[in-house]
Amino acid sequence: MGRMIFAFLLRMLPAALAAVPAVAVLRFFGVRRLRQAGLDTTPWHEAGLWAFLLFLAGLAAITVVPQGWQWTGLSWDRINLIPFRVFRESFILRRATGSWGYFVINVVGNIVMFLPLGFFPCLLWGEWKSGLWRGTGCALLASLCVELCQLPQNRGTDVDDLWLNALGGALGFGLYWLVSRRWPGVAERFRVKKR
C-alpha cells in the first residue's frame, strides 16, 4: 500500500512543481489584497495554502489531464452507474489474484485523495457554518467535475467515485474538527490576522 501511495505522489509531483510560478503570482496578488482589507497572512497560513494549491494541481494532473493525451470519445462501457459495484469487483479480484490492490486504489485511494478538500478550506479560512456539508459538497462537486472530464478520455467514469470522494471530503472536515477541538491554538495559526 505504501508503494501505491508513493507512486501516486510521484505522479502528482511534476504538476505540483509546474504550478509553483502560478501559485507564486496568485499569492503575490492575494497578499496585497489581504493588506488592502486590513489583514495579514501568517507563515502557517501561507504554508497551508501553498500545500493545498499544489496538491490541487497534482490532483488535477492525475485525474483530469488525459493519460497519454488520448481523447477517445464517449464510451458507455467505461461508465458505471451502479452504486457500490466497486466492492463487488474488489472482492472478485481479491479472490482471483489474492491482492487487495484494486480495493486500496479504488476505495481507500478515492477517499484519501479528497480528504484535503474537506480539511484545508476549514483550516485556512475558519470553520464554516455547516462545515461538514460544505466540505462534503466541495469534494462532491470537484469529483463530479473530474468524472465529467474523464468521459471523453480513455478512463472509467464511476458513480462510486462520487460518493467515495464526497466521503473523503466529509472525513477531511472531521479531521479538521478533531484538530480544532484537540489543539485549537494549532488551527488558529493557519488563519489570517487583523492588522
Side-chain angles (χ1 to χ4, degrees), residues 96-111:
T97 65
S99 170
W100 285 101
Y102 183 85
F103 179 82
V104 169
I105 290 172
N106 288 291
V107 176
V108 178
N110 272 310
I111 293 170

Side-chain angles (χ1 to χ4, degrees), residues 140-156:
L140 181 63
L141 287 175
S143 180
L144 181 61
C145 178
V146 166
E147 296 302 314
L148 291 174
C149 288
Q150 289 179 349
L151 278 172
Q153 300 180 37
N154 190 18
R155 302 175 78 158

Side-chain angles (χ1 to χ4, degrees), residues 96-131:
T97 65
S99 170
W100 285 101
Y102 183 85
F103 179 82
V104 169
I105 290 172
N106 288 291
V107 176
V108 178
N110 272 310
I111 293 170
V112 170
M113 289 299 288
F114 278 74
L115 279 168
L117 292 170
F119 177 77
F120 276 107
C122 292
L123 180 70
L124 296 169
W125 296 291
E127 185 173 350
W128 299 324
K129 283 185 177 178
S130 306

Side-chain angles (χ1 to χ4, degrees), residues 1-194:
M1 184 164 132
R3 287 182 184 169
M4 286 185 229
I5 293 170
F6 186 69
F8 273 102
L9 291 174
L10 279 180
R11 285 180 52 205
M12 294 172 75
L13 187 60
L17 292 175
V20 166
V23 172
V25 170
L26 285 173
R27 290 315 303 142
F28 174 78
F29 289 109
V31 169
R32 282 182 54 182
R33 195 175 71 217
L34 282 173
R35 288 185 179 149
Q36 290 170 351
L39 300 169
D40 271 331
T41 188
T42 67
W44 288 91
H45 180 79
E46 287 303 307
L49 189 55
W50 271 81
F52 184 48
L53 293 174
L54 295 178
F55 167 80
L56 290 176
L59 181 65
I62 64 172
T63 59
V64 176
V65 175
Q67 294 175 343
W69 297 94
Q70 295 177 359
W71 295 90
T72 60
L74 183 61
S75 174
W76 289 104
D77 63 333
R78 290 191 317 269
I79 299 172
N80 172 40
L81 299 175
I82 302 168
F84 308 110
R85 183 173 163 184
V86 68
F87 293 114
R88 185 173 145 266
E89 291 174 352
S90 294
F91 291 114
I92 289 171
L93 283 169
R94 168 72 176 122
R95 270 189 275 154
T97 65
S99 170
W100 285 101
Y102 183 85
F103 179 82
V104 169
I105 290 172
N106 288 291
V107 176
V108 178
N110 272 310
I111 293 170
V112 170
M113 289 299 288
F114 278 74
L115 279 168
L117 292 170
F119 177 77
F120 276 107
C122 292
L123 180 70
L124 296 169
W125 296 291
E127 185 173 350
W128 299 324
K129 283 185 177 178
S130 306
L132 172 63
W133 299 114
R134 290 183 186 223
T136 304
C138 179
L140 181 63
L141 287 175
S143 180
L144 181 61
C145 178
V146 166
E147 296 302 314
L148 291 174
C149 288
Q150 289 179 349
L151 278 172
Q153 300 180 37
N154 190 18
R155 302 175 78 158
T157 299
D158 198 328
V159 69
D160 286 330
D161 289 353
L162 292 174
W163 71 265
L164 288 167
N165 295 158
L167 178 59
L171 292 174
F173 174 78
L175 181 61
Y176 160 75
W177 182 85
L178 182 65
V179 167
S180 67
R181 296 303 180 263
R182 183 80 171 114
W183 304 286
V186 171
E188 194 59 36
R189 288 181 188 168
F190 285 89
R191 308 272 165 67
V192 296
K193 309 288 183 200
K194 289 185 180 178

